[in-house]
Amino acid sequence: MTVQPAINHRRYLAFGFLLSAFLFIVWLVKSPYFHKHPSDLSAAVTADLLLIIPLIYALLIRKTNINKFTVAPLVILGMFMASYLLPAGQQHWLHIFKLYFFPLIEITSLSLIICKFVTLRKQFSYSRTSGSDFFDMLQKACYATLPRTLAAVLVSEISVLYYSLFNWKTRRPACNEFTYHQNSGSPALLGCMVFMILIESTAMHLLVAQYNTIIAWILTGLSVYTALQFWGYTRALTKRYISVDDQQLIIRYGIMAQTHIHVKHIQEIELSSREVMPRVNICQLSPLGRLEAHNVILHLKRSHILYGLFGKRQKFNTLLLHVDNQQLFKTLLDAAINA
């Protein structure tokens, strides 16, 4: 048996084990035998969900490329299953786990991400990689230690807070970087959305507070956090630029979209604002779509992936984007392609 089929076999084995184990646990708790011996079986079910099943799963994925950190979400899933399945009077060991061990999992996870982030930052500082910033390092750290879905959510949430609350230092584009927000209406549009959310949340708070103060403050908090997200998206536009580094075209749209294209994969750089009929593998860089006009059309020789918020992926062969100095952008790319 070759290496790849063996790895796939272990993946399927791990998935099959989890499915069968969870189904057996549900069947056992619902069976009459459980109601005859609730105390002993509750302790056994708790141990299975929080220790035995995650341990066997960890052994099954040991030689696969499945992220080893998926064991942590599996333990959390087991905790929620135990809370839902076991009777309230039989959750003594579960309460101990929640009190002492669950915070330890959270602290360990956060520590791993911080350590990975610090290591990457030192590497980037040592090699003086100009094209890497906070978002790049955070992305690498989270994807290296967390499952992809959880990492995508965490990267989006942390980067929003970073760019909206902490990164206030003015950054000027380097000679190989290009802005895309100065001559477009996207910052103004996002800023208007922030203003509208705050105005509407104030009116909603006053209205709902007449009936329930707690619900009013919860809705207001959600609205303020939504406004903070849009503010972070807006500020990131002024911090993360399009750049050409080492034959790589790095296209960014704040923290909302990003892709890497090797210059040899570029077929044509068209400076045009013409209307392009929607079809398969045509992608607009800006999530605002047609609300933001493009002035550059990139035609590629092969498909690429545009990565968006929360891990969203979109395949494209043609990319529509806005560049403030599109003529210099084309000149630099043509020189890189012909180099």
Side-chain angles (χ1 to χ4, degrees):
M1 182 180 290
T2 59
V3 175
Q4 190 60 40
I7 292 176
N8 291 334
H9 176 72
R10 293 180 72 90
R11 284 181 184 172
Y12 297 140
L13 184 61
F15 176 77
F17 164 74
L18 289 180
L19 183 61
S20 59
F22 287 145
L23 289 176
F24 175 76
I25 292 292
V26 173
W27 172 82
L28 178 63
V29 173
K30 300 298 181 181
S31 68
Y33 186 73
F34 181 86
H35 297 288
K36 293 180 180 179
H37 309 277
S39 180
D40 295 336
L41 289 181
S42 292
V45 167
T46 303
D48 285 341
L49 290 173
L50 301 181
L51 180 62
I52 304 301
I53 293 176
L55 180 60
I56 296 176
Y57 170 78
L59 293 174
L60 289 175
I61 66 170
R62 186 168 56 90
K63 295 184 178 181
T64 69
N65 56 1
I66 298 176
N67 195 316
K68 307 306 180 287
F69 202 80
T70 52
V71 176
L74 182 61
V75 173
I76 296 173
L77 175 62
M79 184 182 69
F80 282 109
M81 287 186 64
S83 300
Y84 175 76
L85 292 174
L86 297 179
Q90 304 295 335
Q91 297 187 9
H92 171 72
W93 294 107
L94 180 61
H95 290 322
I96 292 178
F97 176 83
K98 289 180 179 179
L99 184 62
Y100 296 105
F101 294 99
F102 182 63
L104 183 62
I105 293 176
E106 292 180 314
I107 294 172
T108 303
S109 303
L110 185 60
S111 300
L112 287 173
I113 294 173
I114 292 175
C115 291
K116 189 68 176 179
F117 181 86
V118 171
T119 301
L120 289 169
R121 185 176 181 181
K122 290 180 179 178
Q123 290 176 356
F124 285 130
S125 299
Y126 179 76
S127 59
R128 298 183 180 181
T129 305
S130 60
S132 300
D133 60 1
F134 173 86
F135 184 83
D136 292 324
M137 290 187 290
L138 178 64
Q139 203 171 40
K140 288 179 179 293
C142 289
Y143 277 93
T145 54
L146 297 172
R148 177 171 292 274
T149 303
L150 181 59
V153 174
L154 194 62
V155 167
S156 298
E157 296 298 332
I158 293 178
S159 56
V160 160
L161 295 177
Y162 174 76
Y163 286 106
S164 59
L165 299 178
F166 301 106
N167 190 338
W168 290 92
K169 185 178 180 181
T170 302
R171 179 175 178 266
R172 297 183 179 276
C175 58
N176 65 324
E177 295 181 325
F178 299 88
T179 60
Y180 44 85
H181 65 282
Q182 295 177 348
N183 299 330
S184 71
S186 52
L189 181 58
L190 291 171
C192 286
M193 294 179 70
V194 173
F195 180 74
M196 291 173 60
I197 291 171
L198 294 177
I199 294 296
E200 290 185 0
S201 66
T202 302
M204 181 180 63
H205 177 85
L206 296 175
L207 178 63
V208 177
Q210 298 177 10
Y211 304 95
N212 193 307
T213 305
I214 296 177
I215 294 178
W217 279 111
I218 291 174
L219 294 176
T220 300
L222 293 174
S223 297
V224 171
Y225 185 70
T226 302
L228 188 67
Q229 285 187 315
F230 279 103
W231 180 241
Y233 298 154
T234 306
R235 288 196 51 78
L237 298 178
T238 66
K239 307 294 182 181
R240 311 190 73 238
Y241 306 130
I242 297 171
S243 63
V244 181
D245 296 306
D246 299 328
Q247 298 291 302
Q248 285 282 336
L249 171 61
I250 306 173
I251 299 179
R252 305 180 178 96
Y253 192 85
I255 59 176
M256 291 184 279
Q258 179 168 308
T259 187
H260 290 63
I261 303 171
H262 196 281
V263 294
K264 297 301 182 182
H265 295 154
I266 299 176
Q267 181 176 348
E268 181 186 359
I269 309 162
E270 183 181 353
L271 301 184
S272 174
S273 300
R274 65 181 176 87
E275 189 76 14
V276 180
M277 295 298 295
R279 64 177 188 268
V280 178
N281 288 349
I282 286 187
C283 184
Q284 182 100 17
L285 175 64
S286 171
L288 301 176
R290 296 192 176 187
L291 293 175
E292 181 177 355
H294 62 272
N295 59 8
V296 176
I297 304 176
L298 281 180
H299 301 278
L300 306 180
K301 299 176 182 178
R302 54 179 288 264
S303 296
H304 285 70
I305 302 294
L306 181 68
Y307 297 91
L309 288 170
F310 304 108
K312 180 182 177 182
R313 296 181 174 191
Q314 188 173 359
K315 184 181 291 187
F316 68 93
N317 288 88
T318 301
L319 184 64
L320 312 179
L321 65 152
H322 176 89
V323 182
D324 290 331
N325 193 343
Q326 68 268 37
Q327 190 60 59
L328 181 60
F329 175 71
K330 184 178 187 304
T331 301
L332 183 62
L333 267 185
D334 286 336
I337 293 171
N338 298 324

